[in-house]
C-alpha cells in the first residue's frame, strides 16, 4: 500500500492537511489546486492557510520528500477530491448546493484514471453525489472498474491536524470492493475508528451532524431573543437550566458561521423540503438572529448619541482566525450600508483595513470611544487592560463576554 501514488485535488482547509497526513504516512503525494498562487506558495514552502501549527506539520512533510505540488492533476493509484461545494441562490429560491467543482475535478481525473484505481470524495456533498461520480468514471450499465468511496471530513478548524488523525472516519463505498479498498487505505492513515457504510448513508451522516449542531444553536438563539423581549436574563437562565442532569443548552451568539454549519442543512432542505421543516426553521432562526442583532445595534446607536460603533470579534468563533461565513462580517457590512460609522477589532487581524473596514490595533482600541459591541468571546478580550476599558463603555454583549 505504501508504494501507491496519491493525487489530491483541492488544497484548502481539508485538502492540504490531508496531503500532509497522507505523505507523512509514507505515500508519494501530488497536490493540485486550480489557484496557481496556492501551488506557488506551497512549492516555495509557505502554507497559505491560517491554521495553528499547520506550517510546522507542512515543513515536516516536505522534509520527507514525499509531498510535491503540481500545476496539473498527476496520474495516481488513489485520488482525493477535496474541493468546495458552496451554496447557490437563484431567483429568490431557497439555497441549493453547487457541486460543479466536484464534477469538474472528476472530469479532469477521468482522462487519466485507470482500471482498479480508487477515488475518495471528501468534500461535503449532497446525497447522491458519489453515485454521480460512479457515472462519470464507470458509465451507465458498464462493468465497474473504478473504486469510489465517500469519506467526509469531520475536523474542527483550529485543531485540524489532531482531529484529521484521531477522529473516527465514515467510509461509504459505492460497492463492497470500493468500501474494502477505502477501509484498508484509511487504516494506514488514522487512529480513530473506521465506520463502514454505503455512500448515501455516509453523505447523509455528514449533513445531519452539522444540522444537529445548527438546531442546538438555534434553540439557544431563540431563547436569547425571547428573553430580550420578556425582560429575562438569558445567560443566567441557561446556566441554571443546565444544572439539570440531562440538559445542556448552548450559550447564544450573534448567529452561526464557518464553512459547514450554515451551509450543510440547506443541502438536506434542497433535496426534500417537505420533510425538513425543523431543519429549515432552525437555519432561518440563526439567520434571523444576525438581523436581530443588527436592529438592536442600530437602535442603541441612534439613541445613545455615540459617534461610532466598534465591533469586537470578526472571526466566526472564539480564538480563531477563520472568518468564513462569519456573522460579524455580515453585521459590519449591513450597519455600514445603513450609514453607521463602523470600526472593528479582532486580535487576529493585523492589517489596518479588513474587508473595507477600519481595523483597530489594540493600542488604538484602548483610546477609542463609541458603542462597543462584543460578537466573539476571544479569550484575549478578558485580559486587562482591554476588559477594563470595555467595562467602562456603553456595551452590547452578544457573546457573554461580560457575564458575571
Amino acid at each position: 500500500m505504501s508504494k501507491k501514488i496519491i493525487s489530491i485535488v483541492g488544497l484548502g482547509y481539508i485538502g492540504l492537511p490531508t496531503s500532509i497526513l497522507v505523505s507523512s504516512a509514507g505515500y508519494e503525494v501530488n497536490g493540485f489546486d486550480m489557484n496557481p498562487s496556492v501551488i506557488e506558495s506551497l512549492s516555495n514552502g509557505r502554507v497559505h492557510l491560517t491554521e495553528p501549527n499547520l506550517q510546522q506539520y507542512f515543513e515536516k512533510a516536505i522534509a520527507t520528500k514525499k509531498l510535491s505540488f503540481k500545476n496539473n492533476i498527476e496520474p495516481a493509484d488513489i485520488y482525493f477530491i477535496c474541493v468546495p461545494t458552496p451554496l447557490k441562490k437563484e431567483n429568490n429560491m431557497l439555497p441549493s448546493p453547487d457541486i460543479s467543482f466536484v464534477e469538474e475535478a472528476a472530469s479532469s481525473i477521468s482522462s487519466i484514471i485507470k482500471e482498479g484505481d480508487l477515488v475518495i470524495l471528501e468534500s461535503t456533498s449532497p446525497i447522491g453525489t458519489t453515485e454521480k461520480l460512479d457515472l462519470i468514471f464507470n458509465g451507465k450499465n458498464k462493468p465497474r472498474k473504478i473504486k469510489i468511496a465517500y469519506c467526509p471530513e469531520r475536523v474542527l478548524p483550529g485543531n485540524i491536524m489532531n482531529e484529521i488523525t484521531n477522529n473516527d472516519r465514515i467510509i461509504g463505498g459505492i460497492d463492497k470492493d470500493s468500501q474494502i479498498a477505502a477501509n484498508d487505505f484509511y487504516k494506514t492513515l488514522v487512529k480513530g475508528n473506521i465506520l463502514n457504510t454505503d455512500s448515501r448513508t455516509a453523505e447523509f451522516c455528514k449533513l445531519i451532524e452539522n444540522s444537529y449542531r445548527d438546531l442546538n444553536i438555534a434553540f439557544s438563539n431563540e431563547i436569547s431573543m425571547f428573553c430580550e423581549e420578556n425582560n429575562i436574563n438569558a445567560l443566567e437562565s441557561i446556566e441554571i437550566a443546565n444544572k439539570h442532569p440531562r440538559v445542556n443548552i448552548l450559550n447564544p451568539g450573534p448567529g452561526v458561521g464557518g464553512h459547514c454549519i450554515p451551509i450543510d442543512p440547506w443541502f438536506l432542505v434542497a433535496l426534500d423540503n417537505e420533510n425538513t421543516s425543523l431543519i429549515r426553521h432552525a437555519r432561518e432562526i440563526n439567520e434571523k438572529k444576525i438581523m436581530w442583532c443588527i436592529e438592536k445595534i442600530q437602535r442603541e446607536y441612534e439613541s445613545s448619541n455615540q459617534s461610532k460603533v466598534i465591533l469586537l470579534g470578526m472571526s466566526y468563533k472564539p480564538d480563531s482566525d477563520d472568518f468564513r461565513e462569519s456573522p460579524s462580517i455580515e453585521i459590519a457590512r449591513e450597519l455600514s450600508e445603513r450609514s453607521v460609522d463602523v470600526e472593528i477589532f479582532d486580535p487576529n487581524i493585523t492589517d489596518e483595513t479588513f474587508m473595507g473596514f477600519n481595523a483597530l490595533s489594540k493600542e488604538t482600541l484602548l483610546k477609542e470611544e463609541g458603542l462597543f459591541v462584543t460578537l466573539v468571546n476571544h479569550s484575549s478580550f478578558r485580559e486587562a487592560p482591554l476588559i477594563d476599558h470595555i467595562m467602562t463603555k456603553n456595551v452590547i454583549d452578544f457573546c457573554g463576554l461580560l457575564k458575571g
Side-chain angles (χ1 to χ4, degrees), residues 105-336:
S107 296
S108 298
I109 292 170
S110 66
S111 64
I112 57 175
I113 202 166
K114 61 186 183 295
E115 183 175 347
D117 286 350
L118 170 64
V119 178
I120 297 170
L121 175 62
E122 288 213 357
S123 304
T124 301
S125 300
I127 298 167
T129 304
T130 312
E131 293 171 339
K132 290 183 179 179
L133 297 188
D134 187 13
L135 290 175
I136 292 174
F137 293 125
N138 293 310
K140 188 176 182 180
N141 300 322
K142 294 180 181 179
R144 187 164 284 142
K145 298 179 179 180
I146 307 301
K147 302 179 183 71
I148 309 168
Y150 181 67
C151 182
E153 54 83 11
R154 306 168 99 188
V155 298
L156 180 69
N159 194 32
I160 289 179
M161 289 310 300
N162 176 56
E163 296 210 345
I164 203 172
T165 303
N166 294 299
N167 285 0
D168 294 346
R169 301 302 295 263
I170 306 171
I171 292 177
I174 57 169
D175 58 18
K176 194 66 176 178
D177 287 343
S178 299
Q179 188 181 93
I180 291 171
N183 181 84
D184 290 345
F185 177 60
Y186 273 95
K187 280 183 177 178
T188 68
L189 301 177
V190 302
K191 298 178 182 178
N193 296 319
I194 295 176
L195 313 172
N196 289 292
T197 184
D198 61 272
S199 62
R200 291 177 70 87
T201 302
E203 291 163 343
F204 182 59
C205 286
K206 168 63 177 179
L207 299 178
I208 61 173
E209 287 170 0
N210 284 325
S211 296
Y212 169 82
R213 297 173 67 196
D214 200 39
L215 282 162
N216 280 269
I217 297 169
F219 182 70
S220 64
N221 279 336
E222 189 163 73
I223 286 174
S224 71
M225 293 184 284
F226 177 92
C227 288
E228 178 79 14
E229 298 301 321
N230 291 279
N231 195 28
I232 301 171
N233 187 310
L235 294 178
E236 181 184 5
S237 301
I238 290 172
E239 183 178 13
I240 294 172
N242 282 345
K243 299 300 182 181
H244 189 289
R246 289 173 294 281
V247 174
N248 184 24
I249 304 170
L250 304 176
N251 283 332
V256 178
H259 185 61
C260 294
I261 299 178
I263 296 174
D264 295 359
W266 288 120
F267 287 25
L268 295 172
V269 175
L271 180 64
D272 186 353
N273 189 29
E274 182 69 24
N275 294 301
T276 51
S277 57
L278 180 60
I279 294 171
R280 175 179 172 178
H281 188 54
R283 187 84 294 279
E284 290 169 343
I285 289 172
N286 285 329
E287 291 183 352
K288 174 186 175 182
K289 183 64 184 294
I290 298 174
M291 294 306 301
W292 184 88
C293 291
I294 292 167
E295 296 294 340
K296 181 176 174 64
I297 294 168
Q298 185 168 24
R299 289 195 304 270
E300 183 67 21
Y301 170 73
E302 292 174 350
S303 64
S304 65
N305 295 318
Q306 299 287 347
S307 62
K308 65 183 70 172
V309 170
I310 301 168
L311 302 179
L312 302 179
M314 299 305 294
S315 60
Y316 82 85
K317 66 172 188 173
D319 299 329
S320 168
D321 52 8
D322 193 339
F323 302 98
R324 292 177 295 173
E325 307 295 329
S326 172
S328 300
I329 294 174
E330 187 171 344
I331 290 169
R333 286 173 175 163
E334 180 63 25
L335 289 172
S336 183

Side-chain angles (χ1 to χ4, degrees), residues 382-403:
R382 300 190 294 273
E383 299 173 357
L386 182 54
I387 188 63
D388 298 326
H389 181 67
I390 295 172
M391 292 286 286
T392 65
K393 305 304 174 186
N394 187 1
V395 183
I396 301 176
D397 184 18
F398 287 128
C399 65
L401 176 67
L402 306 184
K403 177 183 175 183

Side-chain angles (χ1 to χ4, degrees), residues 348-367:
N348 296 298
I349 297 174
T350 56
D351 296 333
E352 293 183 358
T353 59
F354 178 80
M355 296 189 177
F357 296 100
N358 181 25
L360 304 173
S361 66
K362 182 178 178 180
E363 293 72 21
T364 304
L365 178 66
L366 293 173
K367 302 173 184 176

Side-chain angles (χ1 to χ4, degrees), residues 28-87:
E28 182 180 334
V29 178
N30 297 310
F32 167 77
D33 195 280
M34 286 291 292
N35 187 341
S37 66
V38 169
I39 300 298
E40 181 181 4
S41 178
L42 294 172
S43 297
N44 290 326
R46 298 189 306 273
V47 168
H48 60 289
L49 305 172
T50 52
E51 170 68 22
N53 303 316
L54 189 61
Q55 180 68 36
Q56 291 92 316
Y57 281 105
F58 175 73
E59 290 172 0
K60 289 181 180 178
I62 290 294
T64 67
K65 301 187 183 301
K66 294 286 188 179
L67 178 59
S68 60
F69 304 97
K70 310 291 184 178
N71 292 313
N72 297 291
I73 302 173
E74 292 286 312
D77 303 302
I78 301 174
Y79 297 84
F80 278 83
I81 298 177
C82 306
V83 297
T85 48
L87 290 175

